[in-house]
Amino acid sequence: MIINKGYRSTNYWVISAGTSRLLVDLGWPGTTGKLGANLRRMDVPLHEIRYGLATHYHIDHAGLAQELKEAGVPLLVIDLQVSAIPEMKKWTKPNDNYVDISLEGNVTISTSESRDLLDEIGIPGEILYTPGHSNDSISLLLDNGSAFTGDLTHPVLVTEEYRALVTKSWHLLRERGAKRVYPGHGPIYPLGD
Ligand SMILES: [Zn+2]
C-alpha cells in the first residue's frame, strides 16, 4: 500500500506492508507538526515507520530527518549519500528551524545491500543509484514496478546539460522493471519506453 502524505507541493510517501512501513522523503525543515498531523490523519503511527529514506539531501526531501530520528524513526542512508548530508544546511536560513542531521546513529548501507534490508521489513524491492538531479539521488524501486524517484528529471523535461546522466538513470530504472513513477513533486505517471 502506498499513500502520499505530502504538503507544500512535495510528496512524502508511506509504503506499507501491514504495519511495517517505510517513509520516503522526510519533510521540510520546521514542519514536524504538519508531518505528524498528516501521518495521524492517514492512520500511520510514527512507531510503525521502520525507516525514513531521503531520495536526496535537499531541504524539501530531508528537512526533518534528524527530528524523525529523535522521535524514533531510524534514518536509512545510502553510502554514496553520506557526503551530501552536511552540505544541506547551506541552503537553510535560521528561521527555517532546520535541525542539523547528525552522521551518528544512521543506518548506512550500499545499494547492493538494500534488497536484503527491505526484505527484512517485508517490502520487496531495491534502492538504485539514479544521479542526474543531484549526485546523491537514489530511487526506491518496488518489485511491483513502482519507482520513487525523488527529483530525477522527468524524461521529457531534461535539459541538454544533464541529458546523459538522467537518461542513464531512467534506463537503469526501466531495465530493473520500473513501470510507474512516484515523483517528489507532482502526480504519479506511467514510465513509457
Ligand atoms: Zn532536489
Side-chain angles (χ1 to χ4, degrees):
M1 183 177 74
I2 298 163
I3 56 178
N4 179 11
K5 36 143 222 63
Y7 53 94
R8 272 215 242 160
S9 316
T10 309
N11 300 324
Y12 305 115
W13 304 101
V14 179
I15 297 137
S16 305
T19 58
S20 175
R21 307 173 190 274
L22 175 66
L23 174 60
V24 176
D25 285 335
L26 309 175
W28 288 86
T31 61
T32 312
K34 176 85 182 145
L35 182 89
N38 283 14
L39 287 171
R40 273 191 299 281
R41 195 162 46 238
M42 303 284 203
D43 232 358
V44 176
L46 208 55
H47 68 85
E48 291 182 357
I49 301 176
R50 303 285 296 277
Y51 296 101
L53 174 69
T55 53
H56 60 296
Y57 283 82
H58 284 170
I59 57 166
D60 48 339
H61 294 264
L64 293 176
Q66 185 64 24
E67 283 143 292
L68 283 163
K69 270 164 69 178
E70 286 161 13
V73 178
L75 179 61
L76 179 60
V77 177
I78 299 302
D79 49 10
L80 51 86
Q81 296 183 303
V82 172
S83 62
I85 293 176
E87 299 294 303
M88 205 171 82
K89 62 175 165 293
K90 287 186 197 158
W91 307 103
T92 60
K93 298 182 291 297
N95 62 5
D96 286 337
N97 296 311
Y98 169 62
V99 181
D100 207 2
I101 303 169
S102 152
L103 295 177
E104 306 295 306
N106 301 329
V107 177
T108 305
I109 61 166
S110 64
T111 53
S112 58
E113 294 169 312
S114 62
R115 176 169 292 280
D116 284 350
L117 180 136
L118 291 167
D119 257 352
E120 279 169 28
I121 61 170
I123 295 175
E126 62 182 328
I127 296 169
L128 299 171
Y129 181 41
T130 53
H133 169 72
S134 70
N135 284 330
D136 68 319
S137 287
I138 55 95
S139 295
L140 168 70
L141 174 59
L142 302 183
D143 287 353
N144 69 10
S146 304
F148 300 82
T149 55
D151 287 351
L152 182 62
T153 316
H154 190 293
V156 304
L157 298 177
V158 61
T159 56
E160 209 43 61
E161 191 184 354
Y162 298 104
R163 189 177 304 279
L165 205 51
V166 170
T167 303
K168 196 164 165 243
S169 291
W170 285 117
H171 181 79
L172 174 65
L173 283 160
R174 278 198 194 88
E175 189 183 80
R176 299 295 181 98
K179 300 272 183 276
R180 282 170 311 284
V181 178
Y182 293 73
H185 308 276
I188 299 163
Y189 59 92
L191 187 58
D193 298 322

